[in-house]
Amino acid sequence: MNAVLDLAGLDALIGVLRTSGRTVIGPVLRDGAISLAELTSAADLPSGWGVDTGPGHYRVRRREDAAVFGHSAGPQSWKRFLHPPRRALVASGPDGFRPVREEPVDHAFLGVRPCDLAAIGKLRQIVGGPMPFVVAVECTEPGDVCFCASMGCGPSASGGYDLALTERIDTTGHRFLAVAGSPAGSEILGRLPSRPASERDLAQARADVEGAATRMGRAMPDTDLRALLAANREHPRWADVAGRCLTCGNCTMVCPTCFCVSTEDTNDLDGGALRSQRWASCFEIDFSVLHGGAVRTSGAARYRQWMSHKLGTWHDQFGTSGCVGCGRCIAWCPAGIDITEEAAALADVIER
């Protein structure tokens, strides 16, 4: 089922999702960035705001139009709702230990980029849980650090969504091509004020998305990355990147697929205790501690572990790459380290 919505139709979509009992999460402008938060109406969306990105650089900017999805991936990903940064596991008190059970939230994600759509699929292989209602937004304006096309994860939405929107603003108005990808999506779309999509609507949307694929700011080398990394474990490039890497773990925190966790025990003054799970990073010095101490003590070893797992051994575990080409690790690295540049540096050696 295909249809065209205007801004009133987009607002109605949020309203229908909310009245169906779902908590709608989508992009908002907050604290100088495009963040993810609960939406109550289309007025909450970042109308007229875009972003400029680069290695170690992210800035919001005013657009010349009123596009609500005219921005690339922000610092937050949908991971924080599927795999929370911190989660209580077990509590103890005068009555002994008890598991902490959280009330489930029926989420609807609105504005999911194709790279993040792929990330949700990869992450749910690991953490499981109920699938939210997903409204994807196809990309027509990639950012400077985006490289989803070279990872096969965008800029078009290839599946895993309930509805997919493609935003277009031209002399005929501001509209969204809506394509249903599931029975639930068709049911919701049928309740919205809309008009049938014409062949022209479909062709324009297709051309916009195909054009975005040619304007990616980055690309991963066209080679077998798994074999490339396995063959270069002792390459001097690891020492080079270690001289720049701060081992801060920003790349793992903003990555939409990194899933490592640790547990913490805390006590209160009343004798109670709480065991919690929190996100962890392979850049932490204690992450690789075994009975004899840490295994990966150097920055070079820790960066190599992250990149080799993300692009290489993830295939062995889950059958795919762990990277979706969103570019967050590049934009939010304070040293401006570019994973595509590091892969290209290794690939040049292999190809000679």
Side-chain angles (χ1 to χ4, degrees):
M1 181 178 180
N2 305 327
V4 175
L5 310 176
D6 58 13
L7 284 170
L10 182 64
D11 190 59
L13 170 60
I14 295 173
V16 168
L17 291 171
R18 284 171 55 84
T19 56
S20 66
R22 298 179 174 98
T23 299
V24 183
I25 305 296
V28 300
L29 179 65
R30 181 172 296 174
D31 298 328
I34 305 297
S35 303
L36 297 175
E38 184 174 354
L39 303 177
T40 59
S41 72
D44 296 330
L45 294 167
S47 175
W49 288 96
V51 298
D52 292 324
T53 60
H57 176 82
Y58 178 97
R59 294 290 187 276
V60 295
R61 59 171 171 80
R62 266 294 184 185
R63 295 174 55 89
E64 295 180 354
D65 58 27
V68 295
F69 300 118
H71 50 83
S72 54
Q76 296 176 336
S77 73
W78 308 92
K79 176 176 73 173
R80 63 191 292 258
F81 302 99
L82 302 171
H83 180 45
R86 183 174 292 274
R87 183 166 65 91
L89 300 175
V90 179
S92 71
D95 300 326
F97 291 91
R98 58 177 176 79
V100 177
R101 305 193 186 281
E102 298 177 348
E103 289 296 321
V105 178
D106 188 3
H107 281 122
F109 294 166
L110 188 148
V112 179
R113 302 285 169 177
C115 57
D116 280 339
L117 188 62
I120 289 172
K122 295 174 189 292
L123 191 63
R124 290 190 72 251
Q125 284 184 279
I126 302 154
V127 302
M131 184 67 179
F133 187 96
V134 174
V135 181
V137 172
E138 298 197 297
C139 284
T140 58
E141 297 183 36
D144 183 66
V145 297
C146 295
F147 58 99
C148 65
S150 62
M151 299 306 298
C153 296
S156 64
S158 58
Y161 57 82
D162 296 288
L163 287 174
L165 305 179
T166 308
E167 184 175 22
R168 184 175 178 82
I169 301 176
D170 57 24
T171 56
T172 63
H174 190 173
R175 60 196 180 279
F176 307 84
L177 172 67
V179 177
S182 72
S186 293
E187 190 274 330
I188 292 290
L189 187 55
R191 296 166 61 185
L192 305 178
S194 65
R195 65 169 173 82
S198 67
E199 285 300 321
R200 179 178 174 81
D201 293 318
L202 294 169
Q204 287 177 333
R206 185 164 53 249
D208 289 346
V209 175
E210 289 174 354
T214 68
R215 301 195 308 274
M216 292 282 153
R218 299 287 191 278
M220 198 59 85
D222 185 14
T223 188
D224 185 341
L225 296 173
R226 180 175 174 275
L228 176 73
L229 289 158
N232 283 279
R233 290 187 56 78
E234 303 304 325
H235 194 276
R237 184 70 183 191
W238 301 119
D240 178 88
V241 73
R244 293 172 280 136
C245 178
L246 305 177
T247 66
C248 64
N250 263 20
C251 50
T252 60
M253 296 295 105
V254 297
C255 177
T257 64
C258 278
F259 60 88
C260 291
V261 295
S262 184
T263 56
E264 292 179 337
D265 292 333
T266 55
N267 301 316
D268 60 37
L269 296 178
D270 296 324
L274 182 68
R275 170 161 290 184
S276 301
Q277 174 183 283
R278 64 163 179 84
W279 286 354
S281 171
C282 52
F283 283 90
E284 297 174 24
I285 189 65
D286 292 338
F287 185 82
S288 65
V289 168
L290 301 176
H291 64 281
V295 174
R296 291 183 288 272
T297 57
S298 70
R302 281 176 270 164
Y303 189 88
R304 182 181 64 190
Q305 159 65 22
W306 173 70
M307 185 171 169
S308 297
H309 183 219
K310 189 64 55 179
L311 301 178
T313 53
W314 199 292
H315 287 277
D316 300 322
Q317 289 179 284
F318 308 112
T320 68
S321 172
C323 177
V324 297
C326 68
R328 287 183 176 94
C329 62
I330 304 171
W332 295 93
C333 173
I337 297 172
D338 182 340
I339 190 173
T340 65
E341 180 182 317
E342 299 310 313
L346 297 176
D348 286 343
V349 175
I350 290 294
E351 292 169 0
R352 286 197 185 103

